[in-house]
Amino acid sequence: ANQNELLSVRLGLVLGSSISRARPLTTSRIQSRVSIAAVVSVAEPGRRKRKCLGFLVGERGEVSIMSMTVMRPARGCCCHFNNAINNCFNLRYRRTLKTPSLAAEFPFVAVASPPTRLSLSLRRRLLTVASSSAATMSSSPSYDKELAAAKKAVSLASRLCQKVQKALLQSDVQSKSDKSPVTVADYGSQAVVSLVLQRELPADPFSLVAEEDSGDLRDDSAQDIRARITELVNDTLSTDESSSSTLSVEQVLKAIDCGVSEGGATGRHWVLDPIDGTKGFVRGDQYAIALGLLDGGKVVLVGSGTYMQPLEGGPAVEVHVTATENPEEASFFESYEAAHSLRGLTGSIAEKLGVKAPPVRIDSQAKYGALSRGDGAIYMRFPHKGYREKIWDHAAGCIVVTEAGGLVTDAAGKDLDFSKGRFLDLDTGIISTNAKLMPLLLKAVKESLKEGESCSSSM
């Protein structure tokens, strides 16, 4: 059962007929590291006042409760309480207030609450319900080994790419049928990630949805490039202690071809863009090795936040999206290549928002990374008509932003759906920002798209 629905039902069983409105909240509406949230509005007989109780169960099973009494109708009460629940959650992370008697009965519980008239017995009953929900969560899959394998795979692939970029030769560049450049590093990166994931996770069925295949490399004219890729892959893997044998050309090509999976809504699928932003890579600018994991059509490896760590080693630093609320103080990212997005449309949206700063144009999913650490406040991507977004261009970036507290949706405000195979079927474009700016951004997008349709119909 859906965890949000499960908690809402259990709260309903506890409070019975006194509930006038029970409303589960999706994680995207509040801090992303919360896995269950619910708001309950309880009517006081004969009075306009309503008691609202908010319930949060964190990824590690910790529970927070917040309650307040407001002079609002049921719907307004719950909507108003959404903001209060955020404040409660933030308070818990800054300064946790513990109720001694509750802490003794439920050692894992931290209760952050303002003064409340709700009885201690009622809160105890609710906490009992929450503890059973938390126990259900504790049995959910752990992705620790997958995360460790992914970090190793991407780190090794990054070293391969750095080596090639420093000594980029004209013979290292090949052309695909869509005319975009593909480098030796692109193929080598995919081979390394494929090989490392299979080696580190030997017991798991392996499915990889990736951008490249070896079709062009098997041509007779690509013999030198095949040899160069194989050499790079072997040199890179030799730096890892768990690697013992030298790979043949055919073994490397087969590793590249592991990326032909179609993905889908069932099972686990790794999603890889071995070098996102190949033009930026060739120029010596930004690029990203973007690896994500789908489980049941959802991007996972979640719950721990977003961290930035030097490739050479060192401590990981947690990052967050900007807390900017004023669009005039915001800056926005868009694609470096004009062919990748409708700049006239993004300019119109920025103007309606009141954004004063010029757009920051950079390559690849590095835009998601920059957004996640607060370098800018908004990312907009509106490709030309007829273009279909691929899941490997957004899966890793999406989870990096959402784990940093941001939101990523299509132009209609819907979450991106990675369960449909290799492509994203979405409304018009992709936007990303923090929770405070998203309503304003969606409004500006809607108005700009409507104006564009009116202009098209009048021509």
Side-chain angles (χ1 to χ4, degrees), residues 164-193:
V164 175
Q165 193 180 45
K166 288 178 181 178
L168 191 61
L169 303 174
Q170 186 63 36
S171 60
D172 282 336
V173 180
Q174 173 118 338
S175 178
K176 281 194 304 189
S177 57
D178 66 358
K179 306 302 181 184
S180 65
V182 176
T183 64
V184 166
D186 210 0
Y187 291 114
S189 173
Q190 182 158 318
V192 166
V193 171

Side-chain angles (χ1 to χ4, degrees), residues 88-106:
C88 168
F89 183 76
N90 292 334
L91 172 64
R92 177 165 57 86
Y93 266 75
R94 291 197 307 269
R95 180 169 54 88
T96 300
L97 305 178
K98 293 186 177 180
T99 304
S101 58
L102 288 178
E105 187 170 349
F106 305 99

Side-chain angles (χ1 to χ4, degrees), residues 261-279:
S261 172
E262 292 296 321
T266 59
R268 291 187 181 185
H269 309 279
W270 292 97
V271 181
L272 171 69
D273 194 333
I275 293 185
D276 185 29
T278 50
K279 291 183 179 180

Side-chain angles (χ1 to χ4, degrees), residues 105-356:
E105 187 170 349
F106 305 99
F108 68 94
V109 170
V111 178
S113 175
T116 174
R117 295 179 184 176
L118 289 180
S119 68
L120 182 61
S121 62
L122 176 58
R123 284 199 285 171
R124 280 179 172 170
R125 290 165 66 193
L126 290 170
L127 281 171
T128 303
V129 174
S131 64
S132 62
S133 293
T136 301
M137 286 182 54
S138 66
S139 62
S140 61
S142 168
Y143 300 102
D144 291 346
K145 64 177 183 178
E146 288 84 359
L147 183 57
K151 288 174 67 176
K152 175 181 279 193
V154 171
S155 295
L156 288 169
S158 298
R159 292 186 174 92
L160 182 150
C161 292
Q162 285 185 330
K163 183 175 182 178
V164 175
Q165 193 180 45
K166 288 178 181 178
L168 191 61
L169 303 174
Q170 186 63 36
S171 60
D172 282 336
V173 180
Q174 173 118 338
S175 178
K176 281 194 304 189
S177 57
D178 66 358
K179 306 302 181 184
S180 65
V182 176
T183 64
V184 166
D186 210 0
Y187 291 114
S189 173
Q190 182 158 318
V192 166
V193 171
S194 174
L195 290 162
V196 172
L197 289 178
Q198 292 181 75
R199 186 183 66 203
E200 296 293 316
L201 304 167
D204 296 350
F206 186 65
S207 173
L208 178 65
V209 185
E211 183 172 15
E212 309 302 341
D213 62 59
S214 70
D216 293 341
L217 294 177
R218 294 182 182 275
D219 191 272
D220 291 342
S221 61
Q223 181 177 354
D224 291 343
I225 294 176
R226 288 198 301 268
R228 174 69 171 143
I229 292 170
T230 303
E231 179 186 2
L232 278 168
V233 170
N234 279 313
D235 287 349
T236 301
L237 294 179
S238 68
T239 64
D240 182 40
E241 295 179 355
S242 57
S243 179
S244 57
S245 59
T246 301
L247 300 169
S248 66
V249 171
E250 185 58 31
Q251 286 175 312
V252 171
L253 295 181
K254 285 183 178 179
I256 294 171
D257 284 335
C258 285
V260 298
S261 172
E262 292 296 321
T266 59
R268 291 187 181 185
H269 309 279
W270 292 97
V271 181
L272 171 69
D273 194 333
I275 293 185
D276 185 29
T278 50
K279 291 183 179 180
F281 178 84
V282 172
R283 290 196 314 269
D285 290 336
Q286 307 90 11
Y287 66 96
I289 299 169
L291 179 64
L293 176 61
L294 301 182
D295 193 347
K298 303 290 185 181
V299 188
V300 292
L301 299 182
V302 301
S304 300
T306 297
Y307 293 82
M308 181 173 62
Q309 187 173 17
L311 183 61
E312 297 77 16
V317 178
E318 188 170 8
V319 297
H320 305 278
V321 296
T322 178
T324 299
E325 300 182 47
N326 185 356
E328 293 186 0
E329 300 173 357
S331 60
F332 75 95
F333 298 109
E334 65 178 0
S335 298
Y336 181 91
E337 300 289 337
H340 291 175
S341 189
L342 298 171
R343 290 183 175 177
L345 177 57
T346 55
S348 171
I349 295 168
E351 183 178 355
K352 291 183 182 300
L353 277 171
V355 174
K356 297 184 180 300

